[in-house]
Amino acid sequence: ALHAWAPERGEADRILAGLEVWAWDDAQDGYRLAGARSETWDTSFALQALAGASDALGPETARPARDAGARWLATQQLRSPLPDAERFLREDVVGGFCFSGRWHAWPVSDCTAEAVEALLATPAGDPGGGGTLAAGDDALAEAAAFILRAQNDDGGFGSYERRRGPWRLEWMN
């Protein structure tokens, strides 16, 4: 549809080129597309599990993986507003974490909550370079503010953003 609408603009070509992030090829199963990349989500749960199992594993066993994961996860928080957000009817993304990585730019309330939980469970200030949120208390406050912006008027929380449409649309959803 994009190509038929305005082939000279090249939007369809840019979109198709972007699909390569989601594709891989191997001799056994051939060319495939991933339905989702979930690095932030998976790293958050892995860090929480490592924190919970640290006594059973011994403090040094999981430390390298835990510290590397916490450092990476802290870099995935969206700390700047999106350009042209209002033009595209986007909510404020500052403070949020995405399902995959920050490149995705669609932060989610549950991913943000899990990332915060994981980073808070990772000891700060240890010699191994363990994590706190990217900018300490400011990052934690931004994450909490993002989660609160996703809260609906009825008290529940939206996934990507708070409910903005009438109840009829929600019913259809």
Side-chain angles (χ1 to χ4, degrees):
L2 283 172
H3 181 74
W5 172 60
E8 70 281 358
R9 291 181 60 173
E11 289 180 7
D13 294 334
R14 283 192 302 279
I15 290 168
L16 289 173
L19 285 177
E20 291 306 312
V21 170
W22 303 93
W24 74 97
D25 194 4
D26 64 42
Q28 182 178 347
D29 294 319
Y31 188 79
R32 293 170 283 163
L33 293 173
R37 300 253 185 222
S38 58
E39 290 89 350
T40 298
W41 185 250
D42 297 339
T43 302
S44 296
F45 284 124
L47 288 174
Q48 290 176 55
L50 289 172
S54 64
D55 288 341
L57 293 171
E60 297 305 316
T61 303
R63 177 182 247 152
R66 184 200 68 207
D67 292 351
R71 281 192 301 273
W72 179 84
L73 186 59
T75 69
Q76 298 308 299
Q77 186 178 22
L78 296 172
R79 304 298 307 276
S80 302
L82 293 175
D84 295 328
E86 288 182 22
R87 178 177 170 222
F88 295 106
L89 304 175
R90 293 286 305 273
E91 297 288 334
D92 184 7
V93 301
V94 172
F97 286 81
C98 302
F99 183 66
S100 52
R102 64 177 294 132
W103 60 269
H104 186 254
W106 282 94
V108 191
S109 61
D110 59 350
C111 293
T112 302
E114 294 297 346
V116 168
E117 187 78 26
L119 290 166
L120 289 175
T122 303
D126 63 11
T132 59
L133 290 171
D137 290 343
D138 290 344
L140 179 58
E142 288 175 2
F146 173 81
I147 293 168
L148 290 172
R149 286 193 304 274
Q151 189 171 25
N152 295 319
D153 292 337
D154 63 6
F157 286 85
S159 176
Y160 288 93
E161 54 191 34
R162 65 182 283 118
R163 189 178 306 128
R164 294 189 281 176
W167 69 269
R168 289 172 193 88
L169 288 177
E170 290 300 316
W171 178 82
M172 288 172 44
N173 192 18

